[in-house]
């Protein structure tokens, strides 16, 4: 660091004599950071129901917040052109007051409902109108106050390294994010959260006023121009690009790991904030004077954990908690490595705001690549393993001469990564011994692949300082495991804002041969045999023996003509139940699902099995069903999932009350509640009990005698506005009444997914 000159208008106290000013700066930065990061899950949760609860909502929102952060950092950088600190403080206070006009927090409805075919633009614009101004002004606080601190504390040791305040800023962000799912969300309604945040914003403005008053009285600011810090050499363009890329990789990984984990659980704040909190924690560690985890240790551990993570990324099986920890551990270590390399390259204090501007630009680049560009470039979620591999380029490069044993080890590792695809191809080909591989290897190809990958993982760890070799081995592991883990032979793959859709092909001899399967993420959303003898038989969750099939057939015995509404179209299997006199309508948010389910090339439930036309209404079901006529439906099926995650707004008290209003007096609602990771049955039952609705529960186990793709174990809750609606079901042993529960029902103002996850793991 260069020595700094004493500003003309500063008369600092003697070294160590002033304790109040550093504390005020630290508290103000801590508070602003907490407000900036607690508002992100809060606002995203407010807008989430309008887009079907898709995990992509959070990633797109993060791009907005990163862009607003960049705008705030740009404003802080430009404000340094004002030569008077008093003018800078006054300007910042005025902007804080103007931004307060957007409070209390709410979702601005000027743009109306989102168009499901183009939701990204609507979401970004709505967030900008709702929270853009206060967020951008608040986000400028960290670099702005650090720049002021460097000038106010000229002549003091702490003034030479204002970057330590960045650790305080990120510590405030980290604690606020942890508090949101653990304290704020379980204990406060969304309305209470909005009011509390607005109050925190007002308190922060008072802190800035207090900071200006104290600094003024101590003679640390005045009306005279502030002398600039000693000017250092400009940051070269090559260095700027490196800084941007080092910041981009952790940002991309954060969104990648969030989407990877949220796809199979829920798009919910408690899952959003964990990667974001770890991301901020890496800044806290990286910008400490004495980091808790030194860079040499980070480099060693990150090499081992990242290679193991890459080997398991393609496989969605195994112990869920172990996989959760592995992905978060790899993300944390790689982000820490990049941020420590970034911190080591930070410029002198006179370039502080420019450094933060470049770092923020990197965050936007990484986030935009993952959330906006990757869905256009890739038909699957390839960006996450891709950046896991490319992050290895941030490792320092060993330029010592390459040894022969290193070459042999590298070649052996690359060959080992190619072995699983070779074995898989041999098992499917007629090479004379394919029968042996089919009988002994194919059924456990995933486990065998993971075992074989131990060799390249070990080799990559040994060669971790040979950066190109390390990255090539990591890429080989990623490609090999992705090939083996592709699952059912994919005939079609495409991607939309709402997720990745695949159509797989498998064989089930007892269903006449080929079966087409619709997969959303890692969950089956429908299957149809292609043999005409079985093609119109609803399968999996919709099979005649399942709770959904039982209920539909029971109501068809009750009336010769039914009006049926289905939330969640899937492969269109429910259309297999439609009779000529029945009227059926699907409510689907993803236009791609509607297109695929109506294409006879893939599925013919709607186009070939239903007796009569079927309408599809595109958009979020809560919004579109609100336009339906009350008291007209005989049956409503609520079966909307994004992979295995839960659109919670479809299971709240208000949502269920809306379904019941659409029913005839003896109509029935079916809530499909099958879930691998969350207990969503008790909140749904609590909502039914709170509404006084008649309800029955069934947990159906698929028959071991049924064909593989014919049935699926299913959990369901049926409700009716009156006891008469469930009269025929009460005498059947498979249906039972759940006991009263003390679980708090979900509402539009309160959802506690963390509690649902906890109850599931306590079973």
């Amino acid at each position: 660091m260069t020595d700094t000159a004493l500003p003309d208008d500063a008369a600092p106290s003697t070294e160590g004599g002033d304790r109040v000013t550093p504390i005020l700066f630290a508290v103000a930065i801590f508070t602003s950071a907490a407000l900036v990061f607690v508002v992100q899950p809060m606002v995203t949760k407010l807008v989430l129901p309008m887009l079907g609860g898709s995990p992509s909502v959070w990633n797109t929102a993060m791009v907005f917040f990163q862009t607003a952060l960049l705008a705030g950092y740009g404003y802080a950088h430009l404000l340094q052109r004002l030569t008077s600190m008093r003018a800078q403080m006054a300007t910042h206070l005025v902007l804080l007051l103007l931004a307060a006009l957007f409070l209390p927090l709410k979702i601005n409805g000027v743009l109306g409902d989102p168009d499901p075919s183009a939701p990204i633009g609507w979401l970004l614009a709505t967030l900008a109108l709702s929270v853009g101004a206060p967020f951008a002004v608040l986000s400028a606080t960290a670099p702005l106050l650090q720049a002021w601190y460097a000038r106010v504390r000229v002549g003091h040791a702490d003034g030479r390294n204002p970057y330590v305040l960045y650790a305080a800023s990120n510590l405030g962000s980290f604690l606020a994010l942890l508090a949101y799912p653990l304290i704020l969300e379980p204990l406060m309604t969304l309305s209470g959260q909005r009011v509390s945040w607005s109050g925190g914003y007002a308190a922060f403005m008072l802190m800035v006023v207090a900071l200006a008053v104290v600094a003024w009285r101590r003679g640390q600011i005045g009306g005279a121009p502030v002398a600039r810090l000693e000017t250092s050499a400009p940051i070269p363009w090559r260095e700027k690009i490196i800084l941007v890329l080092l910041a981009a990789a952790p940002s991309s990984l954060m969104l990648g790991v969030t989407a990877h984990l949220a796809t199979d659980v829920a798009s919910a704040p408690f899952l959003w904030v964990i990667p974001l909190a770890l991301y901020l924690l890496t800044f806290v560690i990286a910008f400490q004077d004495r980091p808790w985890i030194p860079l040499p240790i980070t480099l060693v551990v990150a090499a081992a954990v990242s290679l193991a993570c890459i080997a398991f990324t393609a496989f969605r099986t195994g112990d869920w908690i172990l996989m959760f920890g592995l992905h978060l551990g790899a993300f944390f270590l790689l982000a820490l490595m990049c941020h420590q390399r970034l911190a080591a390259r930070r410029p002198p204090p006179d370039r502080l705001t420019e450094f933060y501007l470049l770092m923020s630009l990197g965050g936007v680049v990484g986030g935009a690549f993952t959330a906006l560009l990757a869905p256009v470039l890739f038909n699957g979620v390839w960006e996450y393993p891709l950046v896991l591999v490319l992050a290895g380029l941030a490792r320092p490069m060993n330029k010592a001469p390459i040894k022969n044993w290193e070459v042999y080890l590298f070649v052996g590792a690359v060959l080992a990564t190619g072995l699983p695809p070779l074995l898989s191809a041999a098992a499917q080909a007629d090479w004379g011994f394919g029968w042996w591989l089919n009988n002994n290897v194919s059924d456990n190809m995933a486990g065998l692949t993971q075992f074989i990958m131990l060799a390249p993982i070990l080799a990559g760890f040994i060669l971790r300082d040979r950066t190109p070799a390390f990255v090539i081995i990591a890429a080989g592991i990623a490609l090999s495991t992705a090939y083996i883990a592709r699952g059912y032979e994919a005939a079609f793959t495409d991607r939309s804002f709402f997720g990745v859709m695949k159509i797989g092909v498998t064989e089930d001899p007892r269903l006449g041969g080929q079966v087409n399967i619709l997969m959303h993420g890692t969950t089956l959303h429908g299957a149809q045999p292609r043999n005409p003898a079985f093609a119109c038989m609803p399968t999996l969750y919709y099979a005649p023996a399942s709770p959904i099939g039982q209920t539909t057939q029971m109501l068809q015995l009750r009336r010769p003509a039914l009006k049926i509404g289905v939330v969640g179209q899937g492969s269109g299997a429910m259309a297999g139940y439609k009779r000529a006199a029945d009227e059926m309508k699907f409510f689907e948010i993803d236009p791609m699902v509607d297109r695929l389910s109506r294409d006879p090339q893939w599925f013919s439930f709607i186009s070939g099995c239903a007796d009569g036309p079927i309408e599809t209404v595109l958009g979020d079901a809560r919004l579109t069903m609100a336009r339906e006529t009350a008291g007209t439906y005989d049956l409503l099926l609520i079966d909307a999932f994004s992979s295995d995650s839960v659109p919670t707004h479809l299971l709240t008290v208000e949502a269920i009350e809306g379904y019941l209003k659409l029913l005839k007096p003896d109509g029935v609602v079916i809530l499909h509640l099958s879930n691998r990771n969350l207990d969503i049955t008790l909140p749904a039952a609590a909502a039914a009990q709170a509404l006084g609705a008649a309800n029955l529960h069934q947990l159906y186990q698929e028959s071991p005698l049924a064909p593989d793709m014919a049935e699926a174990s299913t959990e369901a809750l049926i409700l009716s506005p009156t006891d008469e609606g469930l009269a025929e079901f009460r005498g059947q042993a498979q249906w039972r009444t759940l006991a009263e529960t003390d679980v708090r029902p979900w509402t539009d103002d309160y959802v506690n997914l963390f509690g649902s996850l906890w109850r599931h793991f306590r079973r």
Side-chain angles (χ1 to χ4, degrees), residues 196-456:
S196 298
W197 191 89
S198 302
Y201 185 92
F204 171 73
M205 287 196 297
L206 294 177
M207 287 182 192
V208 175
V209 172
L211 184 67
V213 170
V214 170
W216 183 294
R217 288 181 176 176
R218 290 175 179 271
Q220 292 167 323
I221 65 170
V226 178
R228 295 190 176 275
L229 301 172
E230 183 175 324
T231 304
S232 61
I235 303 174
W237 275 105
R238 180 179 179 277
E239 181 69 8
K240 289 179 179 179
I241 293 172
I242 291 174
L243 293 176
V244 169
L245 291 177
L246 284 172
S251 173
S252 176
L253 282 174
M254 177 183 64
L255 299 190
V257 75
T258 303
H260 187 80
L261 297 175
T263 296
D264 285 329
V265 182
S267 188
F270 81 90
L271 279 178
W272 302 337
V273 303
I274 295 174
L276 183 53
L278 291 175
Y279 175 78
L280 295 172
L281 184 59
T282 63
F283 279 115
V284 175
I285 298 171
F287 283 85
Q288 288 175 321
D289 280 335
R290 296 180 180 178
W292 300 329
I293 307 174
L295 179 59
I297 293 177
T298 304
L299 292 170
V300 172
V301 182
V305 176
S306 63
L307 288 173
C309 182
I310 291 169
F312 280 95
T313 295
F315 301 101
R316 303 296 182 92
T317 57
D319 185 271
W320 188 86
I321 297 180
L322 180 63
M323 290 298 100
F324 197 86
L326 178 62
H327 283 286
L328 289 178
F331 160 67
F332 172 78
L333 290 164
L334 288 174
L336 179 60
M337 178 185 74
C338 292
H339 288 154
Q340 285 180 318
R341 298 275 286 157
L342 191 70
R345 308 177 86 100
R346 61 187 184 268
D350 68 300
R351 302 282 173 185
L352 181 145
T353 54
E354 183 182 5
F355 172 73
Y356 285 135
L357 190 62
L358 291 168
M359 192 164 60
S360 180
L361 177 60
V364 173
V365 169
F369 168 74
T370 298
L372 305 182
L373 189 59
V376 177
L377 295 177
F378 309 130
N379 63 0
V381 186
W382 303 114
E383 62 275 11
Y384 176 48
L386 175 64
V387 180
L388 279 173
V389 171
L390 293 180
L393 294 173
R395 301 183 63 83
M397 189 178 301
N398 183 354
K399 297 182 180 180
I402 299 173
K403 301 178 178 61
N404 288 337
W405 67 266
E406 292 177 320
V407 175
Y408 300 145
L409 185 62
F410 169 71
V411 172
V414 172
L415 291 176
T417 62
L419 183 57
L422 182 64
L423 288 174
S424 178
Q428 299 173 40
D430 186 13
W431 292 358
F433 56 89
W435 64 271
W436 182 86
L437 289 171
N438 256 322
N439 293 333
N440 297 277
V441 173
S442 294
D443 290 343
N444 194 31
M445 199 65 209
L448 178 62
T449 299
Q450 291 167 355
F451 177 76
I452 293 173
M453 288 303 110
L454 292 176

Side-chain angles (χ1 to χ4, degrees), residues 720-738:
S720 180
T722 63
D723 288 335
E724 290 75 16
L726 302 184
E728 301 101 314
F729 300 92
R730 293 194 183 278
Q732 299 177 359
Q734 66 268 36
W735 292 100
R736 65 187 184 92
T737 302
L738 288 175

Side-chain angles (χ1 to χ4, degrees), residues 33 59 76 90 96 217 238 249 282 351 423 426 457 461 544 551 560 563 567 593 617 636 649 656 701-702 707 710:
N59 279 4
L96 283 169
R217 288 181 176 176
R238 180 179 179 277
T282 63
R351 302 282 173 185
L423 288 174
I457 288 173
F461 178 74
T551 305
K563 184 170 183 178
V567 176
V593 172
V617 179
L636 287 174
H649 69 296
I656 294 174
Q701 296 296 326
E702 63 185 274

Side-chain angles (χ1 to χ4, degrees), residues 16 32 38 68 70 76 108 141 163 165 231 259 276 329 372 374 402 530 555 558 572 613 637:
S32 69
V38 82
L70 175 63
N108 193 305
T141 301
Y163 289 100
L165 287 176
T231 304
L276 183 53
L372 305 182
I402 299 173
R530 302 305 286 169
L555 293 185
R558 182 188 291 176
L637 169 61

Side-chain angles (χ1 to χ4, degrees), residues 56 70 190 251 308 356 478 494 498 503 556 602 617 662 673 699:
S56 297
L70 175 63
L190 274 172
S251 173
Y356 285 135
D494 203 355
F498 302 99
I503 297 176
Q556 287 182 327
W602 308 119
V617 179
L662 292 178
L673 303 173
L699 182 58

